[in-house]
Amino acid sequence: IADTSAVANTPALLSCSVPAMRDQSLAACRRILQTHGSVMPELVDIDVNGDSPLILAGAVRLRIGVDSIALDRAGEWLYYGPVSGTTLWRVPARLLHSGATAAEIEAAVEAYSAKPITDGISVDDAGNILLTAFEKSAVAMIRASDRGLQVVCRNTTLLQWPDGLSFGPDRWLYVTSSAIHHAMLGRTLAAHAPFHILRMKMETGATP
């Protein structure tokens, strides 16, 4: 789980025991990489499509810590990154539930590739990483073959702050469009409706 911690500014990853969560145990989750450089927001400004700078109350620039997070289909790597960040990171998933020390986990963190300002991410069966590049109203992909970044789709009308990503059957990738920046900036949401759940046919899908 990604704890963005926008108010306290102590972002972290959480590794949780499902049985302990069912028992509502206070020890169900362990905070990992809290305030580590890989989860902290960078000093980059968010401006959606060049006309929606996220400056709250006319003075506070919105910068958001770790939020983008996805496990690869083999369960080997956990990919993650801050919304306000230009690097996608990864860490071996086994370390998060093996009792590894904080120092061991930090030593295993790897800067995987460059990324845009992102919200939701997902990984297909070939290891390609799909990202919602909401600042550009786009869905992008980091190729597994060379870790290069490419745009999959861009549409400023339909992809108003693309948010979540989920693979369905037959290589369909589903994308939610939240348009949350309009609410953040105090705009009338009805003026920007409707808001969509979209899907696009991908060359490679993902096994549920």
Side-chain angles (χ1 to χ4, degrees):
I1 299 172
D3 178 6
T4 299
S5 188
V7 176
N9 197 32
T10 56
L13 302 180
L14 274 67
S15 177
C16 301
S17 162
V18 173
M21 290 175 69
R22 289 179 182 145
D23 293 339
Q24 300 182 17
S25 169
L26 295 177
C29 296
R30 174 191 178 194
R31 296 183 69 81
I32 293 170
L33 297 173
Q34 179 167 303
T35 66
H36 184 266
S38 64
V39 301
M40 294 294 291
E42 298 175 23
L43 296 180
V44 294
D45 297 333
I46 299 174
D47 189 351
V48 182
N49 291 319
D51 64 5
S52 299
L54 294 191
I55 304 175
L56 306 184
V60 180
R61 295 186 179 274
L62 186 64
R63 295 186 174 115
I64 307 169
V66 65
D67 180 75
S68 306
I69 186 169
L71 190 66
D72 72 8
R73 297 292 157 172
E76 181 179 0
W77 291 99
L78 182 73
Y79 293 88
Y80 65 94
V83 172
S84 302
T86 57
T87 301
L88 184 71
W89 304 83
R90 72 177 185 177
V91 65
R94 60 178 173 76
L95 293 181
L96 306 184
H97 53 77
S98 66
T101 66
E104 288 170 336
I105 295 172
E106 290 179 8
V109 170
E110 174 187 339
Y112 181 74
S113 69
K115 77 170 185 68
I117 303 296
T118 55
D119 203 334
I121 66 174
S122 188
V123 186
D124 69 17
D125 283 342
N128 301 304
I129 301 168
L130 286 303
L131 316 97
T132 55
F134 66 83
E135 202 180 27
K136 304 298 183 183
S137 289
V139 173
M141 179 171 70
I142 298 170
R143 298 183 298 269
S145 59
D146 60 1
R147 303 189 186 185
L149 182 67
Q150 71 181 65
V151 175
V152 175
C153 176
R154 185 181 185 203
N155 189 304
T156 57
T157 301
L158 298 179
L159 290 172
Q160 298 186 64
W161 195 303
D163 192 343
L165 293 173
S166 182
F167 276 98
D170 301 322
R171 295 183 286 113
W172 285 108
L173 177 67
Y174 292 82
V175 187
T176 59
S177 180
S178 71
I180 193 173
H181 58 296
H182 297 311
M184 289 178 179
L185 295 171
R187 297 170 179 163
T188 302
L189 292 182
H192 300 276
F195 309 113
H196 301 87
I197 297 175
L198 309 171
R199 69 176 186 174
M200 55 190 73
K201 196 80 163 183
M202 306 299 294
E203 290 186 10
T204 304
T207 305

